[in-house]
Amino acid sequence: MIPAAFEYERAESVDQAVQLLGEHEDAKLLAGGHSLLPLMRLRLARPSLLVDIDRLSDLEYVREAGDTIEIGALARMSDLATDQTLWKHCPLLAHVCGEVGDPQVRHRATIGGSVAHGDPASDPPTALLTLDAVLVVRGPSGERTVPAKSFFTSVFETDLGPQDVLTAVRVPKLASGTGWSYQKFHRRAIDWAIVGVAAVVERDDGHLKRAAVGLTNMGSTPLRASGVESALAGAEAAPQALAAAAEHAPEGTAPVSDTNASAEYRTELSKILVRRALEEALAR
Ligand SMILES: Cc1cc2nc3c(=O)[nH]c(=O)nc-3n(C[C@H](O)[C@H](O)[C@H](O)COP(=O)(O)OP(=O)(O)OC[C@H]3O[C@@H](n4cnc5c(N)ncnc54)[C@H](O)[C@@H]3O)c2cc1C
């Protein structure tokens, strides 16, 4: 279908993008366009103005900043999936970016667009939540930072205001020896996750010092599996302990039933994927 009529402006800077967003009602930013344009073609989104930030190349970077890795909002999934700095310090995120769609999608899709879109079926937001990332936002009142755990508020809804531009993502570097995994269950390689599970584990003398577990598509936002995390605190890094903890996966979740799977199926799947993710993370 052809989108409804809209105006188009190309922003030369983040500040200009913020200004343009404030001058028009229902204006929307355009980055890689791989989520917004399909919605416009279905007429589920009808922005009056598209503010194109896709060519703001100063937002396309990965750099080390002390204990964190900072990623510009316009970094493409394909670049992040092969970035050596990211693989060294945040391999979970590099791996997850390589799991998004297919090569064509990954060459256009940006990390900022994936996060700002707020789709609970998206993979990178779950990785960011699991890694305790912080999001950097520029708006009419200046710059602010928002922890990933308070950024995602509902389906396709985030903490972003109508004039806000997400400019960067900051991810703490993982300590060496930290295990990680992302288990994505989908029918075809290009599909979104029916359920996805991210895990990060730190060991200390045969016990789990830290375990973070995130869930994709198990509610209206990406979620932390807090029941699993509590069950794993200080637990032995042994198969029985992992299997017992995985049984807590559905706590606090509210999966939907759709054409891919029922809520009950997702609930059972989440337990299996949590166990597999923990096993793989501990084997790394
Ligand atoms: C065929 C196909 C398969 C896909 N498969 C997957 C998959 O398996 N897993 C997955 O996670 N995703 C998948 N995606 C989604 C893909 O990753 C999206 O492109 C991405 O989520 C959005 O990034 P974008 O740069 O294209 O954003 P756009 O489509 O340009 O924008 C998306 C939304 O974010 C807003 N926005 C964009 N950038 C910013 C910013 N910097 N600040 C504030 N707001 C902003 C826009 O206004 C819009 O509302 C798939 C997409 C397609 C088309």
Side-chain angles (χ1 to χ4, degrees):
M1 198 142 80
I2 296 170
F6 58 89
E7 288 181 59
Y8 172 91
E9 297 268 6
R10 184 183 299 160
E12 303 292 338
S13 66
V14 172
D15 287 342
Q16 193 195 1
V18 172
Q19 189 193 328
L20 286 165
L21 288 173
E23 286 171 6
H24 294 74
E25 225 175 285
D26 299 328
K28 277 249 168 225
L29 293 174
L30 176 69
H34 267 52
S35 290
L36 181 56
L37 296 183
L39 287 180
M40 289 172 63
R41 289 170 68 100
L42 291 168
R43 301 210 173 191
L44 294 172
R46 290 167 173 250
S48 58
L49 168 74
L50 283 188
V51 178
D52 188 350
I53 54 168
D54 194 45
R55 296 188 202 185
L56 296 183
S57 52
D58 53 338
L59 291 188
E60 212 168 332
Y61 62 86
V62 176
R63 61 183 172 229
E64 290 187 57
D67 292 340
T68 58
I69 300 292
E70 184 168 299
I71 303 167
L74 286 175
R76 313 283 154 175
M77 299 298 169
S78 54
D79 293 329
L80 297 175
T82 54
D83 187 275
Q84 289 311 304
T85 304
L86 206 55
W87 270 108
K88 184 171 174 202
H89 297 293
C90 278
L92 169 66
L93 186 57
H95 170 80
V96 166
C97 291
E99 292 283 296
V100 168
D102 61 10
Q104 200 176 0
V105 172
R106 292 194 289 275
H107 274 95
R108 295 295 309 148
T110 64
I111 187 89
S114 173
V115 171
H117 191 49
D119 183 347
S122 290
D123 306 294
T126 302
L128 294 173
L129 182 69
T130 308
L131 291 164
D132 295 320
V134 168
L135 307 165
V136 185
V137 177
R138 185 104 55 91
S141 327
E143 188 169 285
R144 65 196 166 95
T145 53
V146 188
K149 66 171 190 272
S150 21
F151 184 82
F152 303 100
T153 52
S154 189
V155 183
F156 301 124
E157 283 182 24
T158 68
D159 183 65
L160 290 172
Q163 258 186 282
D164 283 342
V165 179
L166 179 68
T167 55
V169 171
R170 291 183 189 144
V171 194
K173 290 179 181 173
L174 292 182
S176 75
T178 303
W180 60 274
S181 174
Y182 187 64
Q183 299 289 320
K184 177 173 179 174
F185 190 86
H186 49 172
R187 291 183 203 281
R188 302 170 307 164
I190 192 176
D191 287 341
W192 278 260
I194 293 174
V195 174
V197 175
V200 172
V201 290
E202 277 183 54
R203 285 147 284 206
D204 186 18
D205 206 16
H207 285 77
L208 292 166
K209 193 167 127 196
R210 181 172 87 98
V213 179
L215 305 172
T216 303
N217 222 357
M218 285 296 291
S220 60
T221 63
L223 296 170
R224 286 284 283 265
S226 47
V228 177
E229 293 180 0
S230 308
L232 286 175
E236 210 184 328
Q240 298 89 327
L242 304 187
E247 289 298 313
H248 295 272
E251 286 172 20
T253 63
V256 292
S257 293
D258 59 22
T259 50
N260 284 315
S262 65
E264 292 76 19
Y265 182 86
R266 284 193 162 91
T267 298
E268 283 310 302
L269 186 56
S270 68
K271 297 183 206 170
I272 294 162
L273 296 183
V274 165
R275 182 176 48 74
R276 287 185 191 164
L278 291 170
E279 284 171 356
E280 185 174 61
L282 278 170
R284 279 198 160 112

